[in-house]
Amino acid sequence: MRRRTFLSAPLLLPALTLAAPARAPIAYPAVGAGVRLAFPRDHGAHPDFRSEWWYVTGALDSPQADTGFQLTFFRSRPGTAEALQSPIAARQILFAHAALTVPGERLLHAERARLLHAERAARANLGAGFSIVDCDVHIGAWRMSREDRRSGELFRLQMQSPQFSYDFTLTPSQPLLLQGDGGYSRKGNGPELASYYVSWPQLQVDGTLIVDGKRQVASGRAWFDHEWSTAILDGLAVGWDWLGVNLDGGGALMAFRMRDARRATLFAHATWRDAEGRVRQFDAADVSFTPLRNWSSARSGASYPVQMEIRIGELTLRTRPVLDDQELSASRPTAVVYWEGLVHVEGSLSGRGYLEMTGYAGRLRL
């Protein structure tokens, strides 16, 4: 097995209490066009950049159709402990969100549909770690990793919580999809408002799902995203709407828009790859999001357009959520509320995917 380089240390390493010197401004690297991404290296972490996430969503067909799952690991370089000489200084913070959408049985004694979610957080070298040469990030027993096997490469997802757990393998059925210009994905009108962005649609899911103590065999399809950046929100942006869809027949569609406080679009983009592998990119003028129906959260007070019409060039799509209440409220390391849920997509193209809506319960802070 290939040796991997990790930023990690023994968990029993004694804590060091050091006085922090005066902070100098952090020189985060900028995202720029023309960088050639290389794999598996760029599946790994990019710790110089301010923010990074590895994101997997999926729709299961068994043990129950339209069961949705999400597992996201985030890495943040907050810039608050750069000068400390401790190996456990909080220079790199890792946190993770996991969710499971349970659609509910349509039987006489039906269990209501529900969203289950859990979270973890730790600093690198103190209960968490990441590889800088391949995708391998963990917080305790939660882990997302890529492996090379004789039969080919795969990803593995592992997480556990009192209400639900899963251990999934994700097997690619098609090549990586580099978003934007070879992975350079604009998020605003300024060239610095960008991320490096890699997707892997149409991953075959197999493994084990445990819900309320019941272990079941699971299978379905998933979508993998990996992004790293320094700045993606301009001063007017409060959040974004994002959609990633595994299309019926084998294609893939990604679309997003950045929104201001009035819910007007500041910037938008979309990528469509058909089942034959042909890719089309759509600029902001060709992409629009129109709310069709809102759902309001009694917890946060936010109102989310859970059904939307999305126009992409000549295509017209409509989202239909499996469950209206797919709002996640996380508290570690800081409070954040957003809607992230499994939806059916109908219209010019059809499939299942995840709709993510941030900034509806207050401006998103990265």
Side-chain angles (χ1 to χ4, degrees):
M1 179 178 290
R2 183 178 70 250
R3 295 186 64 185
R4 296 182 175 179
T5 303
F6 284 88
L7 299 182
S8 58
L11 297 183
L12 297 181
L13 185 68
L16 301 179
T17 304
L18 299 175
R23 257 194 289 165
I26 303 302
Y28 296 108
V31 172
V35 174
R36 186 177 179 85
L37 302 183
F39 301 96
R41 158 66 191 94
D42 281 315
H43 288 316
H46 302 79
D48 289 345
F49 288 84
R50 185 171 185 174
S51 301
E52 186 165 20
W53 52 83
W54 298 260
Y55 167 88
V56 175
T57 58
L60 299 180
D61 297 307
S62 64
Q64 184 178 350
D66 285 348
T67 298
F69 72 91
Q70 175 219 349
L71 181 62
T72 307
F73 282 87
F74 304 87
R75 180 199 57 76
S76 175
R77 182 188 177 195
T80 56
E82 299 285 324
L84 296 181
Q85 297 304 306
S86 167
I88 59 171
R91 289 185 288 272
Q92 300 283 343
I93 305 297
L94 293 170
F95 54 106
H97 297 168
L100 186 74
T101 299
V102 183
E105 296 286 354
R106 294 177 175 85
L107 301 173
L108 180 61
H109 300 289
E111 178 183 289
R112 67 180 181 87
R114 54 189 172 143
L115 178 76
L116 308 175
H117 59 93
E119 60 182 308
R120 294 287 184 273
R123 67 183 69 176
N125 302 334
L126 193 65
F130 52 79
S131 168
I132 60 172
V133 299
D134 205 340
C135 177
D136 200 334
V137 55
H138 75 275
I139 303 174
W142 289 28
R143 190 173 220 113
M144 183 185 298
S145 59
R146 195 198 69 91
E147 302 177 20
D148 284 315
R149 296 184 178 179
R150 289 185 178 180
S151 57
E153 63 183 324
L154 57 81
F155 285 88
R156 189 173 181 190
L157 311 183
Q158 298 165 284
M159 63 76 55
Q160 306 85 34
S161 74
Q163 288 185 296
F164 70 101
S165 305
Y166 43 76
D167 187 340
F168 293 153
T169 58
L170 314 178
T171 305
S173 65
Q174 54 188 237
L176 281 168
L177 177 57
L178 302 183
Q179 301 289 357
D181 182 7
Y184 169 69
S185 173
R186 295 280 296 273
K187 298 299 193 291
N189 293 314
E192 77 285 356
L193 298 172
S195 69
Y196 295 116
Y197 183 7
V198 179
S199 298
W200 214 331
Q202 297 288 0
L203 296 162
Q204 174 63 40
V205 180
D206 297 286
T208 302
L209 171 67
I210 301 174
V211 184
D212 298 330
K214 183 179 179 181
R215 181 183 296 270
Q216 302 169 88
V217 175
S219 65
R221 287 273 162 167
W223 178 293
F224 169 85
D225 266 357
H226 181 198
E227 288 194 69
W228 59 101
S229 65
T230 287
I232 61 173
L233 290 177
D234 70 19
L236 296 176
V238 299
W240 60 74
D241 302 324
W242 172 92
L243 179 69
V245 186
N246 284 323
L247 297 170
D248 297 336
L253 178 77
M254 185 282 300
F256 73 85
R257 69 164 178 162
M258 314 303 287
R259 296 184 335 273
D260 67 14
R262 296 182 179 181
R263 303 193 176 186
T265 299
L266 297 171
F267 190 83
H269 188 78
T271 304
W272 173 28
R273 183 167 71 185
D274 67 19
E276 285 71 45
R278 295 182 293 256
V279 176
R280 289 182 61 185
Q281 305 276 357
F282 298 86
D283 294 330
D286 299 318
V287 181
S288 67
F289 286 68
T290 303
L292 299 177
R293 181 175 67 85
N294 290 328
W295 169 82
S296 296
S297 168
R299 293 181 300 275
S300 68
S303 178
Y304 300 96
V306 294
Q307 286 189 261
M308 281 200 271
E309 181 178 270
I310 304 172
R311 291 183 179 270
I312 303 169
E314 71 278 12
L315 306 174
T316 300
L317 312 173
R318 292 175 298 279
T319 65
R320 176 169 57 85
V322 169
L323 172 65
D324 281 359
D325 185 0
Q326 296 184 82
E327 181 188 60
L328 280 76
S329 178
S331 60
R332 296 183 288 177
T334 58
V336 61
V337 178
Y338 60 104
W339 198 98
E340 180 110 36
L342 179 62
V343 298
H344 285 264
V345 171
E346 301 156 339
S348 302
L349 302 171
S350 63
R352 290 182 301 182
Y354 261 68
L355 174 63
E356 178 180 84
M357 298 180 284
T358 69
Y360 286 90
R363 188 179 194 274
L364 183 67
R365 301 188 182 279
L366 294 177

